[in-house]
Amino acid sequence: MKEAFVSEDLKVQIIDTPIPELTAPDQILIKVVVTGTNPKDWKAIRRYTPQLEKYNGANTGDDIAGVVEQVGSSVYEFKPGDRVAAFHEMMTPAGSFAEYAIAYQHCTFHIPPTTTFEEAAALPLAAMTAAIGLYRNLGLPQPWSPPNPSPHSAPLPLIIYGASSAVGFYALQFALKSNIHPLICVAGRAGNDYILPYLDKSKGDVLIDYRDGQEKVIDAILKSAPKGGSPPILHAFDAVSEHGSPFQIAQVFAAQQQQQTGSSSSKPKVTFVLAGPKEGIPDDGSVESSITLVADAHNPDNGREFAHVYFRYISLGLAEGWFKGHRQEVIPGGLAGVRTALENLKGGKASGIKYVMRIGETEGVARK
């Protein structure tokens, strides 16, 4: 089969490798139709040490959309011929930059007939990141058990910083299903046409342009809190986690704490999608800070169960129409387009889109 390996300078070599073999009973071999891409595909290359040593590059793709080719002995939900999408286990062989890839059953889900392979390839890693951040780390109400939607129900403010990114867009859709309002969405140039239509001004939802500068963003977020500051903004999902976003969120929390006249037993919570120092976030325990790791989807300590449930819920949302894939841009050339996609991601050219590639367009791959 054809497989693409990315080196640290983002050069891509496409070579012939054997079709991967299943090594666990709950694995699935998938013939990849479309592969998605993520920023980690270029950021984390050094962590793929065994592949780098063998191929002078790594198959870093993790977003799979395709057709089931073979299933392990304990797989009970899928059979050959099924249209599926899947989240490949990161840092392991048999990734999605190839004609065939391997995923585990708990991180695989059926693609509804109305969903294209291109849309499905834009989902797995980013959508699961959003679910883990909102529901495991921030502890917000599950979408199948939302707060009472009556006009008298208490507001539940949520900051989604980077709402037009793939992770932010999926967090927005989950939050809407969870009846979380007001949604305080911070985005850039893709916000007005992509995010604004999802927001309900009557419930206090707002869109804030981060390009207005830090002071204006902080002020706009504070003004978006429920009248009287009750309840305060206690939850933030930072889908950017750099370029000043942690500082701005920290300033919002600090300003609220200064304004509060009484004591509150609830600490503000923020979760980030990137590790590392976070400017402004206090280390005295006054703010609960966490890192959302999508790798937890493969963690046997409840992470696998969480992923199993939410990937099936995503499939349901796609079928019912309340959950949609991030907008896609198809990079031509199949696996030859991997380099262009990753260079665009590294260069910050992606705005409200996911780069995907059709494997059948790869030179040397037989088209059907």
Side-chain angles (χ1 to χ4, degrees):
M1 70 170 187
K2 299 295 182 183
E3 186 170 9
F5 294 92
V6 185
S7 60
E8 291 185 60
D9 60 2
L10 299 190
K11 291 181 180 178
V12 175
Q13 59 173 335
I14 301 172
I15 62 177
D16 291 310
T17 60
I19 294 175
E21 296 182 357
L22 302 179
T23 58
D26 56 343
Q27 287 181 337
I28 301 171
L29 177 66
I30 301 169
K31 183 176 177 59
V32 185
V33 177
V34 180
T35 178
T37 58
N38 295 280
K40 63 141 283 290
D41 297 341
W42 68 267
K43 291 181 177 180
I45 291 175
R46 291 186 181 182
R47 297 176 62 185
Y48 290 73
T49 304
Q51 290 187 47
L52 285 171
E53 292 176 349
K54 185 174 183 180
Y55 297 107
N56 192 31
N59 176 352
T60 59
D62 296 316
D63 280 340
I64 306 167
V67 178
V68 173
E69 181 79 10
Q70 181 184 358
V71 299
S73 59
S74 68
V75 173
Y76 59 89
E77 290 183 85
F78 307 97
K79 64 183 184 305
D82 285 350
R83 297 171 75 247
V84 297
F87 171 41
H88 167 261
E89 185 175 13
M90 297 187 300
M91 314 298 170
T92 67
S96 66
F97 294 163
E99 289 187 68
Y100 292 88
I102 287 178
Y104 285 91
Q105 176 172 240
H106 69 276
C107 278
T108 304
F109 60 97
H110 288 284
I111 302 174
T114 54
T115 301
T116 65
F117 285 116
E118 288 80 7
E119 181 179 7
L123 283 157
L125 184 150
M128 182 51 56
T129 303
I132 291 172
L134 288 176
Y135 302 116
R136 280 176 68 92
N137 291 351
L138 294 181
L140 292 167
Q142 304 287 350
W144 50 78
S145 183
N148 187 341
S150 75
H152 305 292
S153 58
L156 182 55
L158 170 66
I159 299 170
I160 302 178
Y161 205 111
S164 62
S165 69
V167 173
F169 179 62
Y170 295 135
L172 168 62
Q173 293 181 82
F174 277 131
L176 289 169
K177 192 65 174 176
S178 289
N179 193 35
I180 295 171
H181 297 281
L183 292 172
I184 305 166
C185 296
V186 183
R189 61 183 182 273
N192 284 329
D193 66 330
Y194 195 34
I195 300 304
L196 196 57
Y198 284 85
L199 305 184
D200 188 341
K201 291 184 179 181
S202 70
K203 296 180 180 179
D205 298 348
V206 297
L207 176 65
I208 298 169
D209 194 329
Y210 71 82
R211 295 173 299 176
D212 290 340
Q214 289 195 356
E215 291 186 8
K216 289 186 177 180
V217 170
I218 294 167
D219 184 59
I221 294 175
L222 288 169
K223 288 180 178 177
S224 302
K227 292 183 179 180
S230 181
I233 302 169
L234 294 175
H235 299 90
F237 191 120
D238 190 348
V240 176
S241 304
E242 57 186 355
H243 306 308
S245 59
F247 174 80
Q248 293 166 45
I249 291 170
Q251 290 300 299
V252 168
F253 288 157
Q256 286 186 143
Q257 290 172 341
Q258 291 177 356
Q259 294 170 1
Q260 289 176 356
T261 56
S263 61
S264 174
S265 59
S266 298
K267 296 180 182 179
K269 296 181 179 180
V270 57
T271 192
F272 301 100
V273 296
L274 297 177
K278 298 293 181 287
E279 182 184 2
I281 300 296
D283 55 8
D284 59 2
S286 59
V287 174
E288 293 186 23
S289 174
S290 63
I291 305 298
T292 291
L293 300 174
V294 71
D296 285 348
H298 289 98
N299 189 331
D301 185 17
N302 295 326
R304 291 167 62 95
E305 296 174 6
F306 182 92
H308 181 101
V309 171
Y310 264 94
F311 274 130
R312 280 135 194 82
Y313 193 63
I314 288 168
S315 184
L316 175 66
L318 291 170
E320 293 182 344
W322 55 263
F323 201 78
K324 298 182 183 299
H326 202 238
R327 293 187 298 193
Q328 312 99 53
E329 179 178 322
V330 178
I331 303 295
L335 293 174
V338 169
R339 180 173 183 174
T340 298
L342 300 191
E343 286 180 341
N344 286 351
L345 287 170
K346 185 176 182 179
K349 294 181 179 179
S351 177
I353 58 169
K354 268 278 201 178
Y355 295 121
V356 302
M357 285 77 69
R358 299 177 179 128
I359 303 301
E361 295 181 359
T362 306
E363 184 177 355
V365 172
R367 303 190 187 189
K368 292 184 178 180

